[in-house]
Amino acid sequence: MSVRPATVGCMGLFQRRSQGRHARGNTPVDPVVPPRPVNPRERAGDAQAVDAKAVATPATQPAQPAQPARPPRQPRPIGPAAAATRDLTKIYGQGDAEVRALDGVSIDFEQGRFTAVMGPSGSGKSTLMHCAAGLDAPTAGEVRIGDVEIGALKDKDLTELRRDRVGFIFQAFNLIPTLTAHENITLPVAIAGRQPDQEWYDTVIDTVGLRDRLEHKPSELSGGQQQRVACARALVSKPQIIFADEPTGNLDSTSGAEVLGFLRRSVDEFEQTIVMVTHDAVAASYTDRVVFLADGQIVDELLEPTREEVLRTMAHLDETVRARRVGATATGV
Amino acid sequence: MLRASWKSLLGRKLRLLMSAFAIVLGVAFVSGSLIFTDMIGTAFNGIMNGSVADVNVQAKGSGDNVETSVVREISPEVLAKVREVPGVQSAYGSITDQTTYLIGKDGKVLASQGPPSLGMNVIDAPAFGHQPGLVIKSGRAPTAWGEVAIDPGSLTRSGYQLGDTMKIATTGKEATISAKIVGTALYGSQASTGGATYAVFDTKTAQRLFLGGKDAYMGLWVTADQGQDVDQLATAVGQVLPSDLEAVTGEKLADEINKVVGQATGFITIFLLVFAGIALVVGSFLIVNTFSILVAQRSRELALFRALGASRAQVRRSVLFEALVMGLVGSTLGLLAGVGIALAITAIFKQIGLDVGGAGISLAPRTILASYLVGLLVTMAAAYFPARRASSVPPVAAMTGDAMTGKNETGRRVALGSVLAALGFAALLTGLFWSGAANRVTWIGLGALGALLGVAALSPLLGRPLTWALGRFYRKAFGTVGQLAELNADRNPRRTAATASALMIGLTLVTAMAVLGNTAKVSTHDAISKNLRADYLASGVSYAGFSTTVGDEMAKVPGVASVHRLRFVQGAFDGQRATLRAIDPGGFDKIVAQQLQAGSAADFTKDTVIVDAQEATDKGYAVGSTQQLTVNGRTVPVKVVGISAKSEDGGGIGGTLITTDTAAALGAPAVDNLVAVDRASGADPAAVRSALDATVKNLPMVTVTDQQEYADQQAAGIDQLLALIYGLLGLAIVIAILGIVNTLALSVIERTREIGLLRAIGLGRGQLRRMIRLESVIIALLGSVLGVLLGLLFGFALQRSLADQGLTALAIPWAQLAAFLVLAVIVGILAALWPAMRAARLDVLRAITTE
């Protein structure tokens, strides 16, 4: 895996995408030295442990855009998992109507990585995200966020865990319509009864470029702006992991690229861990790793994916799945 | 289209049911009131039919005017003559007294306000149409002095058994007697006495008690031969009677009595219907609100219908169709619930002594018609505006989806509200300050109504400062959750305000009543302490009459300087029916301080009258003029000797004053209603008091009070009335609370996704519940603050307009008003219970993926 080729497909898209990559190249993180030891934004299971000074470090860095382009990226050393599942199984319905949405999925979402979850409709990718994020209760198996096994948690603790350690970006309807952009962004912190970390907040706002829209209500923002507000909200509480469910699904390609670029930067610059469910190969190509699901099982995985690789894998996957389903039907009858 | 409306109706059962509940409550009260009236009617019919004979001989004039009991003594010779009339099977002399009180084992009077406490002689003859007359139900009929038969209900309540001896108080010279209960008796086939108590004696005893021992009667009970034409017989009997007696057929007499009873029960019905009306007005706010929310939520669906080619009229009709179904369901349930309400009213009235007994419940066609008419009209009228708004949804809203939700108060609404409020306040001011206005209370009433509706229409605007202020407080006290609650309440100010308006109306009325009631209490207290001359007063419950022996005994108590009697005499003055006040000739200013503005109290003797200033002005009575006074069917000319000055604080006895000897000469019963006692200077108050108490020991219906106790007693009466009105207004408030529940529940449904999102990003269940509670409290406080303010204004207006009736000092019950606001907060919290629970139970994932 070397330089992202910007040679095939829609030029405009790739143009923007390469800009995104370019920005990624400007990260202060030394690609050779593993970032974790030098970057104190380590949060081994405790989101609160992050201190403001450490956070401030990356905040000042993006302001130096003139750094030379990053050499071909080395595979990032894999840190401990921000979230993980073991033998995760989710069954809907009973008897004949039984659907195994997830069938023994074991996966680690490593810290500081951007992971995409892909798969055909009904493959269980959304269910995986919902279970991993503590929104849905698994039928069997384990889910851990940091060092916490969430299956054992009561609703109250689970809610607090979501509030303090998990960020969410949904496909649509991410914002409370009565609150301004600023209030939406600080909502999880405010719900917890805390004050947002002002420096970190400023960093996030500048990164998403919403400084002049902060007092606007969601109805006064474009779709892309709304999603960027949602990203800022997810980031501002410094969660251990952000789950994004088709965050660009409702956006045009320009706005989508903005949002994806922003997510990429938050991984590169702020060591954020992000898991994104998508069916868009372009979106997947922004990530470090793509996990493919079919019929509730992990069937393939790509590291440092390109759009073409993703498309190829998807096409192959579709065939395999179709073949498998046909086979199953044939044997079943 | 109809099919589609039907489907959508079925899809929203719960929401519609909640709105229908408002109709159910309102209609239930309407039908309950009517059913109750019918029940009283039936009960009294049963009682009346058994208690009149084929032909009844009575004093002339009693038929025209049942209330003013006209009594003539009928000699045995007249009875003998009537017995000779052909066609008469039997005739008996009857004696009836309306103030014979049975005293229970606990020493308390069994009777209560309203229904009479009857004493009578036993007559063993059938009632008209050969129905059973007085029937001995158990034991035997009384035959001698010291024996009595009472009605079975009273026997149960008295705590005595057959064979026991009970005390009976009368207003005659023998104030209390003891009699052995030898049996129970009832008229005809009646199951109860309608709250009246019966004391049945043998004729000799009745004559001794009620006619001073004379061998005479008060009426004749004539039974016709089988097949005899009753009308002819009445005419024939009439011919042998002296000129001051008349013979009336049973049917006619029963009709006349029923008419009078109908008037009394009609008042109860109107009283109840007023509150039913208030409940329905408040309920209609709830219906308007529900339909508005439903239409707003369905705007996409309705727009889709429009896009698919449905006309505006079709959309409007579909919404109105839903209202029709809801009105029908609500009216039907309300009609049935009315039976329960009627039973509840019956139980309450039984508590206060008006027992309609076993009268069956019947749904008269009038009740059914009124219930459906009221229920359907209110629902359809309330749904009309939301339906019109629904039809104005543009087809394009099918695509955008938020055509309705953003709309807030329109200019038209503000304009209409302003005009209504302005007119209302103008009318209010006219009634208050323009002394030339013909009917000031009407002006004030109409003004209050206009102001109330206008303020309700304007409440989205008027409520804003309050919401804002609460919002500031919420942010400080509850942080983000408080802020979210405030923003939610402010999201659709019209909806919030409409919900609050329902509560506002209820609280406006409650507050106005509280202000008025407190003012009345304080004014009464002031007037009594300032004007009451007597040291002690002896009076009965609701000024029921008692024996003159009480006054006689009290006059003999050592330390008593003087005793002054007041009697209420039913009669007519100058052709107008009136309750005349009879006092001793020299007693004009002895009971209460009062003055004459013309004439002289020294001239106040037999066959003279003192009129009050208002009446003198209205009718042009002048001192020295002669007017006609009618008492007990006898009319005499009386001379106006004085005009009592109008007292600025409503003191004075008021009304038309005559002397006791004037009344006695005309045959008014010698029964005192109030005895005022002056203590001799230097006498020991405690000793006098205990001696006075001793004189009424055997007359539990008479109580002795000093000035303070008398004032407290009056205040307690006002409190009782207030409690009754609060209870009835409580119905409107319950509906208003339901309205809050409904609005919140619908809002929760509307904001399902938002709630899902909030929960996903970490809002705890407790926080979510608190958010909804806080929103609810905003609505409740909005309604109650506006209501209390308006109520204060109306209370003030009413006090001003009634100032010349004695409500002189405006007394605002601040503590009570503060309690109303605290209650409003509690109401808000309670109303939010269920919606908050529903919201908290929402599955996060399902909520956030809701369409």
Side-chain angles (χ1 to χ4, degrees), chain A residues 155 162 174 179 183 190-191, chain B residues 480 483 487 757 759-760 767:
Chain A
D155 179 78
R162 279 202 306 265
N174 262 308
L179 299 178
E183 287 164 339
I191 288 173
Chain B
T480 306
Q483 186 193 2
L487 291 173
L757 177 68
R759 293 273 293 126
Q767 289 176 307

Side-chain angles (χ1 to χ4, degrees), chain B residues 795-812:
Chain B
F796 169 70
L798 281 169
Q799 182 268 326
R800 295 290 312 154
S801 68
L802 295 172
D804 52 356
Q805 312 255 330
L807 296 182
T808 42
L810 178 70
I812 297 166

Side-chain angles (χ1 to χ4, degrees), chain A residues 130 135-136 155 159 162-163 168 170 172-179 183 187-188 190-191 233, chain B residues 475 480 483-484 487-488 491 753-754 757-765 767 844-845 848-849:
Chain A
H130 292 149
L135 286 175
D136 205 356
D155 179 78
T159 303
R162 279 202 306 265
R163 188 183 74 198
F168 285 100
F170 297 102
F173 204 81
N174 262 308
L175 306 177
I176 302 299
T178 46
L179 299 178
E183 287 164 339
L187 190 56
I191 288 173
R233 183 192 62 210
Chain B
R475 277 166 214 231
T480 306
Q483 186 193 2
L484 285 169
L487 291 173
N488 282 340
R491 186 182 294 204
R753 281 180 85 175
E754 199 177 312
L757 177 68
L758 282 169
R759 293 273 293 126
I761 64 171
L763 191 76
R765 284 208 166 111
Q767 289 176 307
V844 179
L845 194 59
I848 202 156
T849 49

Side-chain angles (χ1 to χ4, degrees), chain A residues 50-57 197 199 238:
Chain A
V50 186
D51 61 60
K53 203 172 74 192
V55 172
T57 318
D197 174 340
E199 274 183 87
K238 295 176 213 159

Side-chain angles (χ1 to χ4, degrees), chain B residues 17-70:
Chain B
L17 217 67
M18 284 177 64
S19 314
F21 201 71
I23 310 171
V24 172
L25 275 184
V27 170
F29 225 66
V30 171
S31 72
S33 308
L34 294 175
I35 293 172
F36 176 67
T37 314
D38 290 344
M39 280 168 76
I40 305 180
T42 316
F44 278 90
N45 258 334
I47 294 164
M48 287 315 148
N49 289 347
S51 64
V52 292
D54 287 333
V55 173
N56 302 269
V57 173
Q58 57 183 22
K60 239 180 212 157
S62 18
D64 314 329
N65 215 340
V66 180
E67 275 168 309
T68 61
S69 47
V70 179

Side-chain angles (χ1 to χ4, degrees), chain B residues 649-661:
Chain B
D649 53 12
I653 299 175
T656 305
L657 297 177
I658 57 173
T659 59
T660 37
D661 49 358

Side-chain angles (χ1 to χ4, degrees), chain A residues 21-41:
Chain A
R21 288 299 186 190
H22 183 71
R24 194 171 156 196
N26 289 341
T27 53
V29 182
D30 191 327
V32 186
V33 183
R36 207 148 305 280
V38 289
N39 192 329
R41 289 192 64 243

